[in-house]
Amino acid sequence: MFVSAALAASPKTVWDGVYTDAQATRGQAAYMTECSRCHGEDHRASGNVIVGAKFMQQWREDNLNNLYTILRNTMPRNAPRSLPEGTYLDIVSYMLKLNGFPAGKADLAIADVADIMLVGKEGPSAVPDFALVTITGCLGPITGDTSFVSAATEPVRTRQPQKSQGDEMATAFAKAAGTRKLALMGVAYNAAGAEPSHRVEAKGFLIRLPEGDKLNVTSLQTNKTACTP
Ligand code: HEC
């Protein structure tokens, strides 16, 4: 029982050898034909987003499905979704290799990407400042444009600023109460989905301040379960 609890607490990460060298080599060839004319053969052009600090800031503490999906839906910038699914996976593998993550024995497959976390050398850590995140907690009274969420879950990265729906919404509200308290900004604008003293899913940009973390809210919704903030 102890062992399975430990396993559940440590998700698969990009340090576990999640692609093959052959796949990254295919990805390199695709990068050179499809991407290098904007991002450069040295990967430094068009925002320097392929390798290094900006890549890590943008993708750490997220799963590979979000990287894969955004790549596919937005790149090549002049022809999004123009490449086969497998080619996007090859390019993700190449980007993992460039960023120092080790190769393994099996190709990265579409069925795996949602369960693999991209984390730094030190392992899973706190979500970076200004990342778009989702939390679930208990909404406090609304004063003008501000409120707070108590008993909140740890902030988790999301790429979708709007209210979640369907399975994603069910997962958000199924989370056990947490221990965090975050101030909310921009609540009035999103008040349509806000009901004080009810459990809410709040999404927004995380801002860390000495006096406590804040969320610059992009969406709020309640599941109408009463709680005490
Ligand atoms: C026509 C030019 C062009 C092509 C071709 C192109 N990109 Fe981009 N890409 C851009 C620009 C411009 C940006 C925005 C950079 C920034 O945020 O400063 C960008 C951003 C990105 C980002 C960051 C996305 C984000 O949301 O953070 C990634 C990753 C990326 N490109 C990968 C690729 C890959 C892989 C290919 C090849 C399949 C590719 N790009 C092809 C121009 C291009």
Side-chain angles (χ1 to χ4, degrees):
M1 187 177 147
F2 193 70
V3 172
S4 63
L7 278 177
S10 53
K12 191 165 185 182
T13 78
V14 285
W15 294 100
D16 296 328
V18 299
Y19 67 91
T20 62
D21 274 322
Q23 189 176 25
T25 302
R26 292 199 302 274
Q28 180 176 22
Y31 176 89
M32 288 305 162
T33 41
E34 307 293 344
C35 322
S36 70
R37 86 192 110 98
C38 292
H39 290 283
E41 291 192 5
D42 65 354
H43 317 103
R44 297 292 170 198
S46 285
N48 197 6
V49 289
I50 305 295
V51 57
K54 275 205 188 169
F55 176 86
M56 288 307 290
Q57 166 76 18
Q58 176 70 328
W59 302 108
R60 74 177 180 82
E61 319 313 322
D62 204 347
N63 62 60
L64 290 185
N65 186 46
N66 282 334
L67 170 57
Y68 165 81
T69 305
I70 288 183
L71 209 57
R72 184 157 184 246
N73 288 340
T74 66
M75 293 295 140
R77 181 144 291 200
N78 52 326
R81 299 182 77 92
S82 61
L83 311 176
E85 179 179 277
T87 303
Y88 284 105
L89 288 168
D90 293 349
I91 293 172
V92 169
S93 302
Y94 176 54
M95 289 169 74
L96 293 178
K97 179 152 195 179
L98 284 172
N99 283 281
F101 302 111
K105 294 198 176 78
D107 274 5
L108 181 65
I110 191 69
D112 305 331
V113 287
D115 296 324
I116 302 169
M117 294 296 290
L118 202 156
V119 300
K121 277 202 255 331
E122 54 299 334
S125 48
V127 173
D129 248 6
F130 309 118
L132 182 64
V133 298
T134 173
I135 59 172
T136 307
C138 187
L139 186 65
I142 299 174
T143 316
D145 202 32
T146 62
S147 184
F148 65 87
V149 168
S150 57
T153 53
E154 210 40 49
V156 176
R157 268 194 125 142
T158 175
R159 300 286 162 178
Q160 175 60 264
Q162 296 96 328
K163 299 168 190 178
S164 63
Q165 296 175 348
D167 287 352
E168 196 196 341
M169 185 174 101
T171 306
F173 284 115
K175 287 181 186 171
T179 54
R180 308 248 322 189
K181 184 172 175 182
L182 289 95
L184 303 182
M185 303 149 60
V187 175
Y189 182 72
N190 295 284
E195 280 183 41
S197 300
H198 284 79
R199 282 197 96 211
V200 287
E201 173 203 52
K203 290 185 175 182
F205 295 94
L206 182 63
I207 300 163
R208 289 206 174 79
L209 295 169
E211 65 266 31
D213 293 354
K214 288 190 174 184
L215 201 66
N216 195 348
V217 175
T218 58
S219 69
L220 260 186
Q221 69 175 329
T222 172
N223 71 344
K224 305 208 190 300
T225 310
C227 58
T228 309

